[in-house]
């Protein structure tokens, strides 16, 4: 069933900047709306007119395969027009600020700005200064809210519940915006969250987020429902934070042997991508029957459709619809 626009209230906030600020009910609204949109994505013609006449600008100043294309498809499926700006092809190269770039695009009549930037807080600055709805597509090591939402949708589909599920997030927690957004979201929905990695890749005080910390993978994976694997984010590390990749693989790589020996038989494996095969996870596990990695990607489109649909940028003006605008 498609969402019925007369029944859904939409989100009260102008922007989607992080999971930390979302109420549990808002997360549930986004997930339930995304479930409705999944039905549209199974149709032969996957396009609905809900955002006809609206426009989104994609400002991606860091590389992306999944997030950019998933937002882009989500916009197209909703009949929303789009323009795209990257660092290498914009006037940022000539010294223009991010805010000036965004304000100039907004002057062309936008409804949404989706931004990925290496500086934590960049989407927040845009949100304060623009009237469009701003969506954070990843800001430095801070947050990646739509990744967490698509992860939660994938968990909801697999387990049909959140309360009490035990998840272990393994790897470079320190530099991971995905880990932060996932921890906030999972905790709000009643999940039991643990993290595991080398001490140098675990943020100090992370226990304050309500998570348990492990440094030994074999102990950590025991009795977990979900193992969420993260890549080593070398692009955000200022210096080597562990002795060698070989040592990291020996201690923290998710392999068939480790799962066979220490994990539950029904454990599922998740990863936000991009995967560094043979480092944080072996190919046979990434591609194996326990893996939810590609379903996560599939769910990204429906979740991002739900975000566009529920934010005020996607609100349809009744006067415009009647041709009186
Ligand atoms: N998960 C994720 O953000 O992937 P991309 O960097 O490819 O967008």
């Amino acid at each position: 069933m498609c969402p019925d626009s007369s029944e859904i209230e939409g989100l009260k906030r102008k922007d989607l900047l992080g999971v930390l600020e979302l109420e549990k009910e808002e997360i549930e609204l986004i997930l339930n709306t995304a479930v409705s949109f999944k039905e549209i994505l199974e149709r032969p013609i996957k396009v609905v007119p809900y955002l006809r006449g609206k426009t989104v600008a994609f400002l991606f100043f860091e590389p992306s395969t999944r997030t950019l294309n998933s937002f882009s498809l989500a916009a197209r499926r909703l009949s929303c027009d789009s323009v795209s700006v990257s660092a290498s092809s914009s006037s940022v190269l000539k010294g223009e600020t991010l805010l000036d770039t965004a304000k100039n695009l907004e002057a062309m009549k936008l409804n949404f700005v989706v931004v990925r930037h290496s500086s934590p807080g960049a989407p927040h600055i845009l949100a304060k200064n623009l009237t469009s709805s701003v969506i954070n597509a990843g800001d430095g090591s801070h947050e990646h809210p739509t990744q967490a939402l698509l992860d939660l949708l994938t968990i909801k589909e697999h387990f049909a519940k959140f309360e009490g599920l035990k998840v272990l997030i393994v790897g470079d927690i320190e530099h991971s915006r995905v880990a932060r957004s996932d921890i906030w979201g999972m905790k709000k929905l009643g999940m039991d969250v643990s993290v595991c990695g080398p001490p140098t890749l675990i943020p100090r005080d992370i226990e304050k987020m309500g998570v348990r910390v492990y440094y030994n993978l074999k102990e950590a994976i025991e009795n977990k429902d979900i193992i969420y694997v993260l890549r080593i984010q070398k692009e955000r590390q200022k210096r080597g934070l562990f002795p060698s990749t070989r040592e990291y693989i020996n201690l923290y790589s998710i392999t068939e042997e480790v799962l066979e020996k220490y994990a539950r038989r029904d454990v599922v494996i998740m990863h936000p991508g991009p995967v560094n095969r043979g480092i944080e996870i072996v190919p046979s596990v990434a591609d194996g029957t326990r893996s939810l990695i590609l379903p996560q990607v599939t769910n990204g489109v429906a979740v991002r459709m739900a975000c566009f649909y529920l934010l005020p940028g996607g609100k349809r003006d009744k006067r415009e619809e009647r041709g009186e605008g």
Side-chain angles (χ1 to χ4, degrees):
M1 283 280 289
C2 294
D4 177 347
S5 53
S6 61
E7 283 174 14
I8 293 185
E9 268 287 307
L11 293 167
K12 300 282 181 274
R13 59 190 65 250
K14 177 174 89 66
D15 311 292
L16 176 57
L17 301 176
V19 180
L20 174 59
E21 68 202 31
L22 289 179
E23 303 290 337
K24 180 182 176 197
E25 293 69 29
E26 292 178 284
I27 296 174
E28 287 168 346
L29 173 64
I30 296 169
L31 299 184
N32 291 337
T33 308
V35 169
S36 311
F37 279 128
K38 281 203 77 172
E39 187 266 322
I40 293 170
L41 297 175
E42 296 301 325
R43 295 180 188 170
I45 296 173
K46 301 171 172 53
V47 182
V48 286
Y50 293 160
L51 296 193
R52 197 164 50 201
K54 308 286 179 195
T55 307
V56 53
F58 298 116
L59 273 59
F60 274 62
F61 294 94
E62 273 191 355
S64 171
T65 298
R66 280 146 290 270
T67 311
L68 176 57
N69 289 298
S70 168
F71 267 116
S72 178
L73 277 175
R76 263 185 267 169
R77 302 303 191 218
L78 291 167
S79 309
C80 184
D81 295 325
S82 66
V83 290
S84 216
V85 170
S86 70
S88 60
S89 63
S90 74
S91 291
V92 168
L93 277 186
K94 302 178 203 162
E96 185 171 74
T97 64
L98 171 68
L99 183 54
D100 275 337
T101 302
K103 279 189 159 177
N104 277 273
L105 288 166
E106 191 170 67
M108 300 177 204
K109 307 291 179 197
L110 293 180
N111 305 97
F112 301 97
V113 172
V114 178
V115 59
R116 169 169 286 194
H117 203 280
S118 56
S119 298
H124 303 67
I125 293 171
L126 297 190
K128 270 198 193 110
N129 288 283
L130 300 177
T131 53
S132 319
S133 287
V134 175
I135 303 179
N136 181 359
D139 61 330
S141 304
H142 180 221
E143 279 234 34
H144 191 350
T146 56
Q147 177 68 47
L149 290 163
L150 73 87
D151 291 338
L152 292 170
L153 179 59
T154 310
I155 292 168
K156 179 183 163 90
E157 274 181 351
H158 188 83
F159 293 97
K161 66 168 190 172
F162 294 107
E163 195 69 41
L165 285 177
K166 291 185 172 62
V167 58
L168 176 71
I169 306 178
V170 183
D172 184 357
I173 315 293
E174 172 73 28
H175 301 95
S176 176
R177 53 196 175 205
V178 173
R180 273 175 196 76
S181 292
D182 265 328
I183 292 170
W184 295 126
M186 288 168 177
K187 293 294 298 177
K188 283 176 198 218
L189 294 173
M191 291 175 64
D192 175 324
V193 185
S194 302
V195 297
C196 178
T200 46
L201 296 182
I202 304 283
R204 219 183 292 168
D205 288 343
I206 193 160
E207 287 96 339
K208 288 187 181 152
M209 293 176 82
V211 305
R212 198 170 305 128
V213 177
Y214 293 91
Y215 302 109
N216 182 322
L217 179 68
K218 290 158 192 164
E219 274 175 28
I221 65 176
E222 200 183 327
N223 205 27
K224 300 295 187 291
D225 299 291
I226 302 161
I227 301 175
Y228 194 105
V229 191
L230 295 172
R231 165 180 79 86
I232 302 292
Q233 288 144 94
K234 289 212 168 109
E235 71 277 18
R236 295 199 196 106
Q237 294 182 9
K238 292 186 180 66
R239 59 194 164 86
L241 290 173
F242 48 88
S244 69
T245 303
R246 183 179 291 277
E247 187 173 42
Y248 183 86
I249 292 169
N250 284 341
L251 294 174
Y252 295 106
S253 188
I254 304 298
T255 62
E256 297 283 4
E257 299 72 46
V258 167
L259 293 179
E260 205 54 47
K261 242 173 149 174
Y262 302 101
R264 285 169 55 142
R265 290 219 160 273
D266 57 356
V267 72
V268 296
I269 307 296
M270 298 177 71
H271 192 307
V275 173
N276 287 164
R277 287 169 177 263
I279 299 184
E280 71 272 13
I281 189 168
V282 297
S284 58
V285 174
D287 303 329
T289 51
R290 304 176 180 97
S291 173
L292 297 180
I293 296 173
L294 290 178
Q296 285 173 265
V297 178
T298 302
N299 284 334
V301 179
V303 156
R304 288 165 177 133
M305 286 171 81
C307 295
F308 282 136
Y309 182 76
L310 292 169
L311 284 167
K315 204 166 196 150
R316 291 196 297 178
D317 183 329
K318 294 284 171 211
R319 289 179 61 241
E320 267 177 33
E321 277 180 15
R322 290 195 299 268
E324 299 163 12

